[in-house]
Amino acid sequence: ETIDASGLHVLPGAIDVHVHVREPGFSHKETWTSATQAAAVGGVTTVFDMPNTNPPTASVAALAQKHAIAARQAIVDYGLYGLIGEHNLDQLGDMAAAGAASFKLYMGSENPLVPCPPDGAIVEAFEILARLSIRCTVHAENTPLLTWRGERLRAAGRTDAAAHLEQHIDLAAVEAVSRTAVFAAWTGAKVHIAHESTRHSLPHIRFAKARGVDLTVETCPHYLLLSTEDGARLGDTFMRVKPPVREPGHAGPLWEALLDGTIDILSTDHAPHLRSEKTREVIWDCAPGFPGVETSMPLMLTEVSRGRLTLGRYVGMACEAPARAFGLWPRKGTLAIGADADIVLVDMARSGRITADGLHSIGNATPFEGFAVQGMPVRTLVRGRTVALDGRPVGSPGWGRPVSVSRS
Ligand code: NCD
Ligand code: ZN
Ligand code: ZN
């Protein structure tokens, strides 16, 4: 295969540590084939899959089941998250031995499949993961507070977008982020804060990092590029996501934090749902989240084109920082950035427009509908083989392999 890369930039493939692939259990929203095809087209060569599937990835058996499904379908490489539940703490070690790349703790879920463990169980889980030297990713929102407020608002007949925001008041995230950092300091656990959405968490993160807590933090394009004001254009139910996109005034400080290293990682929280699941009249009935693996790189390259960040800084947050945080060292001394020829060719001169209909994800609703982009991935290679070309997936299902993480 001869590749003509004249005029293009060669980047390491992006590593997206926050992707909801949906199988087993929710194949109507996304499959391992569709999610990894979308990733490949989006310049993402490794995805970390979240455990809120059905069954949840909370046991060695569930992990093995998911490994088998992924191995048949994936066209990019993948890591699988194990779920921390209240009742599976004695299984975390076995799940790690069976290849869980990381673990996920939900402190903020209304999904009965992934209930939030009590604080005591969280501390115990952190102690176990500290011994195993595995990073734990946390959805940090105060669940009891969210649930209480949600019930009060529903009882009051509130069905509007403002009620959703009130339930997910950013204090609920700030409190859970700082509690997570305290538990991490206490136990010595390596902890990763998922989808940072509010500027009010940033002082707590800076304080924890200054104290030497091994804390990493991610944010996603929707918190950097949207605000509640976009609800008017899109429809509020359509934009629903947890944690919510905040009022104007948060994105600026989040950008600053990303550029100064307070926020380490750019992920997507790729959370596909059908358009019909997101356009119900009452906001509480609308599924939270939207696809992201395919739109993140074009959106961020557009910001590079605008001069908001350098291509090098983008590679740092989308490739290098996730590889470091999650221990992707395929060979001693070699960080998995571009290693094994996981690479993406990018055309900064290519422009385009994001549309849900153009996405490869089954989840066909995006809040970036109609966004013009400047700078696009045009060829993605996983372990030296082309898996996407000019916006189309070309790899054969099964080419993707599980990553191995180093625990030191
Ligand atoms: C996620 C999903 O749909 O699985 N939704 C979301 O709004 N982020 C769940 C989650 O990460 O909380
Ligand atoms: Zn989450
Ligand atoms: Zn998520």
Side-chain angles (χ1 to χ4, degrees):
E1 185 180 27
T2 311
I3 297 174
D4 181 1
S6 48
L8 307 179
H9 288 81
V10 183
L11 309 185
I15 298 167
D16 191 339
V17 297
H18 194 148
V19 174
H20 297 268
V21 174
R22 302 297 191 206
E23 281 184 313
F26 304 99
S27 311
H28 72 286
K29 296 177 193 277
E30 194 77 296
T31 64
W32 273 88
T33 303
S34 63
T36 57
Q37 287 182 335
V41 170
V44 176
T45 52
T46 301
V47 296
F48 272 45
D49 169 62
M50 286 295 172
N52 61 334
T53 44
N54 195 4
T57 320
S59 66
V60 172
L63 187 66
Q65 180 192 11
K66 186 175 275 188
H67 264 301
I69 298 170
R72 280 196 297 274
Q73 297 185 44
I75 68 165
V76 304
D77 291 346
Y78 50 90
L80 301 185
Y81 275 102
L83 179 76
I84 294 173
E86 185 179 346
H87 305 293
N88 71 345
L89 298 182
D90 57 344
Q91 287 205 52
L92 302 186
D94 289 342
M95 289 167 72
S102 180
F103 284 86
K104 175 75 181 284
L105 170 70
Y106 282 88
M107 289 168 98
S109 162
E110 293 138 59
N111 176 356
L113 287 170
V114 293
C116 175
D119 282 352
I122 294 174
V123 170
E124 200 173 317
F126 280 11
E127 284 171 344
I128 294 166
L129 296 184
R131 278 198 296 278
L132 294 168
S133 194
I134 299 186
R135 190 169 297 276
C136 181
T137 295
V138 182
H139 179 127
E141 284 187 301
N142 181 322
T143 302
L145 177 61
L146 297 186
T147 305
W148 194 86
R149 290 173 68 93
E151 279 167 12
R152 300 292 287 177
L153 290 158
R154 252 167 278 211
R158 294 280 304 279
T159 57
D160 53 320
H164 176 239
L165 272 178
E166 282 174 45
Q167 179 194 6
H168 286 260
I169 181 171
D170 76 346
L171 188 66
V174 176
E175 187 281 325
V177 166
S178 76
R179 183 155 38 105
T180 298
V182 169
F183 291 172
W186 182 7
T187 58
K190 301 193 275 192
V191 170
H192 178 67
I193 301 290
H195 43 47
E196 182 49 55
S197 64
T198 165
R199 67 188 166 95
H200 292 126
S201 291
L202 299 174
H204 298 267
I205 293 163
R206 292 191 170 106
F207 179 72
K209 286 190 168 195
R211 273 190 60 176
V213 179
D214 191 342
L215 190 70
T216 55
V217 183
E218 68 180 30
T219 191
C220 316
H222 42 285
Y223 302 115
L224 297 167
L225 299 171
L226 302 174
S227 78
T228 45
E229 289 185 347
D230 292 280
R233 176 175 53 83
L234 290 162
D236 290 310
T237 65
F238 204 74
M239 225 175 64
R240 186 179 192 219
V241 60
K242 294 175 189 174
V245 168
R246 308 287 178 189
E247 298 82 355
H250 288 273
L254 291 174
W255 268 108
E256 282 166 28
L258 188 58
L259 295 178
D260 76 16
T262 303
I263 297 175
D264 308 83
I265 290 177
L266 182 84
S267 70
T268 66
D269 194 7
H270 176 84
H273 300 282
L274 297 185
R275 192 186 298 250
S276 56
E277 296 170 315
K278 289 196 70 68
T279 48
R280 294 179 181 138
E281 210 166 309
V282 174
I283 196 152
W284 308 115
D285 296 336
C286 293
F290 29 74
V293 279
E294 201 168 344
T295 51
S296 182
M297 192 176 288
L299 288 167
M300 294 303 284
L301 294 180
T302 304
E303 299 304 311
V304 172
S305 299
R306 290 183 177 139
R308 199 161 194 182
L309 75 166
T310 63
L311 210 43
R313 191 66 195 86
Y314 171 68
V315 168
M317 64 181 70
C319 319
E320 181 175 355
R324 273 188 199 287
F326 289 87
L328 298 180
W329 299 85
R331 272 180 298 280
K332 207 169 166 49
T334 311
L335 198 60
I337 39 175
D340 298 328
D342 286 350
I343 54 183
V344 55
L345 305 188
V346 157
D347 186 351
M348 294 304 291
R350 186 171 300 198
S351 56
R353 198 169 284 281
I354 290 172
T355 63
D357 291 341
L359 299 181
H360 292 83
S361 174
I362 296 172
N364 53 353
T366 169
F368 298 109
E369 183 74 35
F371 271 49
V373 293
Q374 171 76 50
M376 299 176 82
V378 292
R379 185 191 286 264
T380 306
L381 294 93
V382 170
R383 276 173 282 108
R385 185 186 283 190
T386 298
V387 294
L389 181 60
D390 289 325
R392 290 185 322 274
V394 297
S396 42
W399 178 245
R401 285 206 207 132
V403 296
S404 67
V405 301
S406 102
R407 288 168 191 157
S408 51

